[in-house]
Amino acid sequence: NINAINFGWVSSSPLLDYRLLKTIGEKYKPDVVVLSLDLGDFGDDIIYTRMLEHRDIFLFARYLPGTTFLLESIANTLSDNQYESLFGYPKSPMFANEWPLERSRPYIEAYSQRIIDNIARYTTQELHAKFVLVMNPRSFQYSDREALQDWNRYMNKRTENSFEIFRYMDELHTTRNYPVISLLSGLQNTTVFPTTFGTDSHWNR
């Protein structure tokens, strides 16, 4: 018998998951902690880290919250290269889908991968549970028939680098002591259709 508790929430990412796990995770007494990773998590982790540290466009957030919107509006007028040079991180939250692995790797490892390793360490050493990392594909990575009217389609498009993140996940098998599981092949070979909502690329029931 397996009892599962969904510990995530909309627009969460490894950093927020880690903070919640450390705060109340022990009360659940888990045997296994499964972290579900998404392409958008890498950009979210960078933003949430800078937000918590009150850096860049969040510099004055604790005192004058409205300035974040103003600074963000100004920052968005910069080109991708100007933005990256000024702030030290990618402008696009979907950079892991758009860039070759050699370019995205430093950001992945400095933010999300560091946090994931912390979650794994906390899970095994403090919660005395097993840790598993699962990588979820976006619908455009396994089908060209899904969510054709996606309201968020500018973030959900296949590029020549869309499968680089799975190459990175394959590498983790040899460098980490926890299981790393990809759902890509399963969804590439599924006979179920549709797997997403027509106007939203999130999976349906």
Side-chain angles (χ1 to χ4, degrees), residues 13-200:
S13 71
L15 174 58
L16 302 187
D17 294 333
Y18 183 38
R19 286 161 57 87
L20 184 62
L21 188 65
K22 288 199 299 182
T23 302
I24 62 174
E26 190 174 5
K27 297 178 182 178
Y28 289 82
K29 296 180 172 55
D31 295 310
V32 181
V33 171
V34 180
L35 179 65
S36 178
L37 197 60
D38 176 83
L39 263 176
D41 286 338
F42 304 106
D44 285 347
D45 270 344
I46 294 175
I47 291 297
Y48 291 142
T49 297
R50 314 295 267 213
M51 185 184 299
L52 290 169
E53 296 174 351
H54 297 286
R55 297 169 65 182
D56 312 320
I57 62 174
F58 308 103
L59 185 62
F60 306 107
R62 72 176 81 186
Y63 308 112
L64 299 168
T67 58
T68 298
F69 176 77
L70 177 61
L71 291 174
E72 184 179 31
S73 299
I74 296 173
N76 283 336
T77 65
L78 300 173
S79 69
D80 290 358
N81 290 336
Q82 289 172 331
Y83 189 101
E84 186 180 2
S85 297
L86 180 62
F87 295 117
Y89 62 91
K91 180 179 180 179
S92 172
M94 294 291 284
F95 68 91
N97 179 57
E98 299 162 1
W99 292 355
L101 182 57
E102 289 67 28
R103 187 179 177 196
S104 62
R105 183 193 299 274
Y107 295 109
I108 293 172
E109 293 183 342
Y111 291 90
S112 293
Q113 189 57 60
R114 175 178 56 83
I115 297 164
I116 292 167
D117 288 341
N118 286 338
I119 294 174
R121 192 175 303 110
Y122 182 80
T123 297
T124 56
Q125 296 181 3
E126 301 297 328
L127 300 180
H128 306 292
K130 296 178 181 179
F131 175 75
V132 179
L133 178 64
V134 175
M135 184 68 201
N136 297 322
R138 291 283 179 113
S139 61
F140 62 81
Q141 291 173 305
Y142 62 84
S143 173
D144 57 5
R145 300 189 298 154
E146 300 278 8
L148 298 182
Q149 305 300 319
D150 187 5
W151 66 274
N152 202 23
R153 56 186 173 274
Y154 81 95
M155 288 183 63
N156 291 301
K157 56 185 179 182
R158 187 180 299 178
T159 75
E160 62 182 356
N161 297 307
S162 286
F163 298 95
E164 289 287 81
I165 192 58
F166 291 101
R167 184 158 70 91
Y168 178 77
M169 291 296 143
D170 287 341
E171 292 179 7
L172 290 185
H173 284 287
T174 62
T175 59
R176 297 301 188 274
N177 60 0
Y178 49 78
V180 180
I181 299 171
S182 166
L183 301 186
L184 178 62
S185 62
L187 283 162
Q188 284 176 325
N189 294 295
T190 186
T191 58
V192 175
F193 181 83
T195 60
T196 71
F197 297 100
T199 56
D200 190 318

